[in-house]
Amino acid sequence: MESIGVLMLIPMNSYLEQELQRRYNLFKLWTAPQKPQFIKGHANSIRAVVGNASAGADAELIEALPRLEIVSSFSVGVDKIDLAKCREKGIRVTYTPDVLTEDVADLAIGLMLAVLRRLCESDRYVRSGKWKKGDYKLTTKFSGKTVGIIGLGRIGMAVAKRAEAFNCPICYYSRTEKSDTKYKYYPSVVELASNCQILVVACPLTEETRHIVNREVMNALGPKGVLINIGRGPHVDEPELVSALIEGRLGGAGLDVYEHEPEVPEELFGLENVVLLPHVGTATVETRKVMADLVVGNLEAHFLNKPLLTPLV
Ligand code: 8YV
């Protein structure tokens, strides 16, 4: 398979890079001083693209690669890939579902605990020596709080299962009510936010779900409510989130994702009721290795004319 050209869009995992390099003629887009010229120069040998949550095959890239057969994404989220164009051109698309579900759901629970129990602030309190001068303030209990989940897919279900172990009543919003769950369904996000104390975003990013958490939803969640975003930044209207937190209309937020990563609104840096993570939902050694193996496994299957392991298109 030496001569098959694979274009990797950005550096994402060194093990994945090595495994691709061993099998294919790997083109690393980020090493090119002039990206459009680089793509043009290798367009006739590139048959696969490897991207991730921040860089995918958009319409422009797909058009520029006439021999493209498959896009193998190192992510479960595929919002950066033009799926319609891939379908139209018969380009296969694979992703990495299931293998990362536990990590993302674990992190959602971690963010809930971190925001309500003020774990990061407590840590700073000890490190700065302030403990020696007084008592730390009281925080907010997590067990038993009602958790509302936007999107009851694989990750949403895994969050629900974990939160249940903390005796949290679970409710959810999704486009349609699920027949196979006992959790309470609300037909709108505003109703969900009005009836829960912790609101978790766990749905895919699409045109329909962009800014699904808007001013109205934040107001419905209220001054004691906490927003947890482990989905995608654009699910939340970020300037509205900043105002809601600063004005005290929203109680707190635990964020792993942002509208313009790696840019994070600086107004959030001074707020102690906010916990900010650098998009690390799947970032464990174990999970990233399995994700990498799946990216490579899908490419191998494709080029051997075998069934894809995790096809999306
Ligand atoms: C990563 C993700 O950020 O799977 C997703 O959708 O957001 C994450 O796994 C990323 O793709 C790894 O580079």
Side-chain angles (χ1 to χ4, degrees), residues 60-120:
E60 197 189 343
L61 182 66
I62 295 169
E63 290 297 348
L65 298 173
R67 294 193 64 212
L68 183 62
E69 295 168 32
I70 180 167
V71 177
S72 184
S73 192
F74 185 65
S75 68
V76 67
V78 289
D79 45 282
K80 288 283 196 300
I81 305 174
D82 192 328
L83 296 176
K85 186 140 252 23
C86 290
R87 274 189 202 104
E88 179 193 311
K89 296 202 166 249
I91 295 165
R92 306 300 310 271
V93 178
T94 65
Y95 63 148
T96 59
D98 300 313
V99 297
L100 46 67
T101 300
E102 290 180 335
D103 274 3
V104 180
D106 291 353
L107 197 85
I109 298 293
L111 278 171
M112 292 178 205
L113 282 164
V115 174
L116 292 173
R117 300 302 303 270
R118 302 284 173 110
L119 299 184
C120 303

Side-chain angles (χ1 to χ4, degrees), residues 178-242:
K178 314 257 174 212
S179 53
D180 53 352
T181 170
K182 57 188 185 310
Y183 303 140
K184 182 156 180 49
Y185 174 70
Y186 288 102
S188 81
V189 182
V190 173
E191 280 174 82
L192 178 71
S194 309
N195 287 286
C196 70
Q197 291 151 306
I198 303 171
L199 182 67
V200 185
V201 185
C203 57
L205 179 65
T206 62
E207 273 320 305
E208 275 171 44
T209 63
R210 190 173 294 273
H211 286 192
I212 195 165
V213 179
N214 56 20
R215 186 182 176 95
E216 201 190 348
V217 170
M218 291 176 221
N219 287 345
L221 191 54
K224 291 197 166 158
V226 168
L227 175 71
I228 303 293
N229 192 1
I230 40 95
R232 286 286 184 259
H235 280 129
V236 177
D237 185 331
E238 209 163 69
E240 283 294 348
L241 175 66
V242 170

